Amino acid sequence: MEVQPEPVRPFPAPAGLVLPPGLVVRHPRRPGDYPEMNRVANRLRQSLGDAFYTTVEQLASYYETPGPRFDTDRDVAIIEAEDRFVGYARTGIETRVDGIRVLEIVPFLDPEADLSLVFPAVLAILEHHARELAAADPAPGTVLETFGGDRAPEREAMIQAAGYVPIRHGYSMVRPTLDDLPDATLPEGLEIREVRPEHLRAIWDAGTEAFRDMWGWTEPSAADYARFLDEEAADTTLWRVAWDGDAVAGQVRSFINEEENAATGRLRGYTEAISVRRPYRRRGLARALIAASFPLLRARGMTEAALGVDTENVSGALRVYERCGYRPVSRSTTYRKPLD
């Protein structure tokens, strides 16, 4: 018996919008769309200089258990041009810890696609959908938000033409060597311990507490913690966690993305999820934990380290990373415009 293809479910477009010939915007077919979604997402990140990289399994986990911020079947749009998969986009509602409610529009379009034809239409469709979500659950002060980067000037020009203004920047940073970092002594009274399964909840809670003053922070959900256990905590051998008695003082949760390194020909490890709880800041703890991470990465054959940072982080993270030898390789930009 021949298997019939799943029917196309068009993604709603605003009245009067005429799509370019051959452009189709539809709801996803799960899980069949995931490999192409992941391929495009990684190609876009690479073109923007974003160090983040995902496997198909990681992307599937994200969209199969999305949590409260968005609904995959409702809020994700697949984009095809002339029967070719050229990308996807999503939107959803987030309430940040600063009280601002954000309608986030995140387009992932193949950098080889004709953005002048595709991007404005996709942005208009996702913005229309975001406004419908807001109308169903109105709240004052809601804003629309999307992102760009200095390596994609055409995309940034179209975002600004749609009325968005830049409000925040981030860097992807790389330390080109893993040479030892001098003068990086662990503060007195603290110790680094091997991570054990019974430590994971305390490590997660300490990181959540430390990140609450980070710009744009959204409280994590149960699904976020489940992903932490399934993905991040699957290999804790590269983590460095400092303890003060029974309390976590700070942490660096390093990892190696083997698939990314194979695809790019790099030997890169990531020193990420760097956090220090407030009582332990301004004592050199982040520097000490970063320095303690380098030998672990070297032992696994890595030759460089990378991380991402908000350039206006209130804890002064950018200055810390620069002093640790990291240098910017690309800049990302967050754009906003009022809902009304």
Side-chain angles (χ1 to χ4, degrees):
M1 181 178 175
E2 183 179 355
V3 177
Q4 296 297 318
E6 185 179 342
V8 172
R9 293 193 301 128
F11 205 89
L17 178 66
V18 178
L19 295 182
L23 185 67
V24 173
V25 183
R26 62 171 173 83
H27 286 282
R29 301 185 181 114
R30 296 189 290 140
D33 285 325
Y34 290 152
E36 283 295 283
M37 289 170 65
N38 194 62
R39 179 188 66 81
V40 167
N42 285 332
R43 283 178 60 86
L44 176 63
R45 295 186 193 108
Q46 184 178 16
S47 73
L48 294 175
D50 186 343
F52 193 56
Y53 187 97
T54 56
T55 65
V56 174
E57 292 74 21
Q58 288 168 334
L59 181 136
S61 173
Y62 184 74
Y63 284 101
E64 288 297 311
T65 54
R69 293 190 291 274
F70 65 91
D71 180 289
T72 299
D73 287 327
R74 183 192 66 190
D75 302 327
V76 174
I78 303 298
I79 300 100
E80 296 171 328
E82 302 294 346
D83 297 323
R84 184 173 70 89
F85 192 104
V86 296
Y88 72 100
R90 72 168 187 269
T91 191
I93 298 176
E94 290 187 348
T95 300
R96 308 280 170 82
V97 293
D98 56 10
I100 295 176
R101 198 172 74 147
V102 172
L103 292 160
E104 188 181 42
I105 298 173
V106 187
F108 292 92
L109 297 176
D110 192 320
E112 293 186 359
D114 186 345
L115 293 185
S116 64
L117 290 177
V118 177
F119 191 86
V122 170
L123 189 59
I125 289 171
L126 269 292
E127 187 174 308
H128 170 71
H129 181 66
R131 291 178 184 279
E132 289 193 328
L133 293 178
D137 183 21
T142 301
V143 297
L144 295 156
E145 185 174 288
T146 192
F147 72 94
D150 61 352
R151 294 191 181 182
E154 182 185 10
R155 177 189 177 112
E156 294 214 313
M158 288 184 283
I159 290 171
Q160 294 184 53
Y164 292 80
V165 296
I167 61 161
R168 201 81 172 193
H169 300 291
Y171 284 149
S172 289
M173 306 184 77
V174 172
R175 191 179 197 263
T177 75
L178 292 174
D179 296 340
D180 288 337
L181 185 61
D183 304 321
T185 306
L186 197 68
E188 186 176 354
L190 304 183
E191 64 174 346
I192 295 174
R193 300 175 191 162
E194 178 185 356
V195 178
R196 298 178 180 174
E198 60 267 27
H199 296 159
L200 293 175
R201 186 74 221 193
I203 291 170
W204 170 265
D205 288 342
T208 299
E209 176 189 324
F211 281 128
R212 281 200 178 101
D213 59 9
M214 183 177 73
W215 183 84
W217 177 252
T218 301
E219 283 297 311
S221 65
D224 293 323
Y225 182 60
R227 275 193 290 270
F228 164 78
L229 293 177
D230 292 342
E231 298 174 14
E232 282 193 65
D235 180 7
T236 61
T237 58
L238 294 174
W239 294 11
R240 286 305 206 191
V241 181
W243 294 78
D244 180 8
D246 294 331
V248 173
Q251 59 191 284
V252 178
R253 302 201 299 260
S254 298
F255 64 91
I256 297 168
N257 191 317
E258 302 287 1
E259 291 84 358
E260 176 189 359
N261 284 343
T264 60
R266 291 190 292 244
L267 293 172
R268 173 180 291 179
Y270 286 92
T271 45
E272 284 287 11
I274 301 170
S275 66
V276 174
R277 292 177 53 226
R278 290 168 190 77
Y280 303 96
R281 293 178 182 174
R282 313 299 181 189
R283 296 169 57 185
L285 179 53
R287 179 182 174 88
L289 290 172
I290 291 169
S293 302
F294 293 158
L296 301 181
L297 293 172
R298 280 203 309 267
R300 295 274 288 271
M302 300 298 103
T303 60
E304 65 180 43
L307 52 77
V309 64
D310 170 18
T311 61
E312 300 174 52
N313 185 293
V314 294
S315 67
L318 176 59
R319 293 189 299 275
V320 173
Y321 302 153
E322 288 175 333
R323 291 167 185 161
C324 288
Y326 293 84
R327 295 293 178 263
V329 295
S330 65
R331 187 188 72 178
S332 61
T333 301
T334 300
Y335 289 89
R336 277 186 185 170
K337 76 174 182 180
L339 181 64
D340 299 317

